[in-house]
Amino acid sequence: MDNQLTNDGRELLIQMRRVRIAYAAFLNRVLDGLGLNIPQYTALAILEENGVMTMGALADALGITMGAVTNIVDRVIDKGWASRERGEDDRRVVRVQVTPAGREVLDKAVTGGTDFMASWLKDFPEIERKAFIDMYRRIADDIDRRRSEAAS
């Protein structure tokens, strides 16, 4: 790999880390006010995006163990934000999904996150905002593609 690409990769990593840390701190404040933490929010967001999922699929999507996902799911179920049901054909299969109350709390969290991003983006011209969003989407799409290929 050439030196400039390596340097650019390092610089991007540093800048993304700075943004992630700032966003995580903000998100923690928003979520704390809703009674959520980041792992719970992430699990609910993945469930909202994917619909009904098995516990194993949710654990894979989160990149965590079955024990860890069970703990997260137990907590969001206790709060009424998700529901769990066992498979009719195979009782070992457990499916989970977001409830209407879970969608409500997600909407509030997303509103907080949107407000944070909008307050940051407002200082940039529209063309730069669109270019940044497009580049970030392309990176995310490539990551998804590579994960999908690796899973195949």
Side-chain angles (χ1 to χ4, degrees):
M1 193 177 301
D2 79 26
N3 276 346
Q4 188 57 51
L5 189 56
T6 299
N7 290 339
D8 289 349
R10 181 175 289 121
E11 182 64 21
L12 179 59
L13 177 68
I14 290 166
Q15 300 312 320
M16 287 178 75
R17 182 175 53 220
R18 290 178 60 208
V19 169
R20 184 185 55 77
I21 289 167
Y23 181 66
F26 171 81
L27 190 58
N28 272 322
R29 286 193 304 275
V30 168
L31 296 179
D32 189 51
L34 298 171
L36 269 169
N37 62 33
I38 288 178
Q40 293 166 355
Y41 166 76
T42 305
L44 287 173
I46 289 170
L47 288 169
E48 174 70 8
E49 186 175 313
N50 292 286
V52 178
M53 294 179 76
T54 65
M55 292 287 283
L58 181 57
D60 288 346
L62 290 166
I64 60 177
T65 66
M66 282 294 290
V69 81
T70 298
N71 185 32
I72 292 168
V73 168
D74 285 348
R75 295 191 191 292
V76 296
I77 286 173
D78 288 347
K79 294 178 180 183
W81 297 331
S83 64
R84 171 176 37 215
E85 62 183 48
R86 295 212 174 264
E88 291 180 20
D89 297 341
D90 185 346
R91 305 278 300 150
R92 294 171 297 179
V93 176
V94 177
R95 291 180 180 81
V96 63
Q97 65 184 349
V98 177
T99 64
R103 283 185 190 86
E104 231 177 89
V105 79
L106 270 174
D107 286 345
K108 290 176 184 174
V110 168
T111 297
T114 300
D115 292 347
F116 172 81
M117 289 297 173
S119 72
W120 173 70
L121 289 171
K122 73 178 174 27
D123 296 329
F124 293 88
E126 182 178 2
I127 192 164
E128 290 181 16
R129 291 193 312 259
K130 300 265 187 232
F132 176 76
I133 292 165
D134 182 58
M135 182 65 72
Y136 219 79
R137 181 181 298 113
R138 288 171 52 196
I139 291 168
D141 288 348
D142 190 57
I143 290 168
D144 288 346
R145 181 187 56 77
R146 290 176 190 222
R147 286 178 69 193
S148 178
E149 288 172 358
S152 300

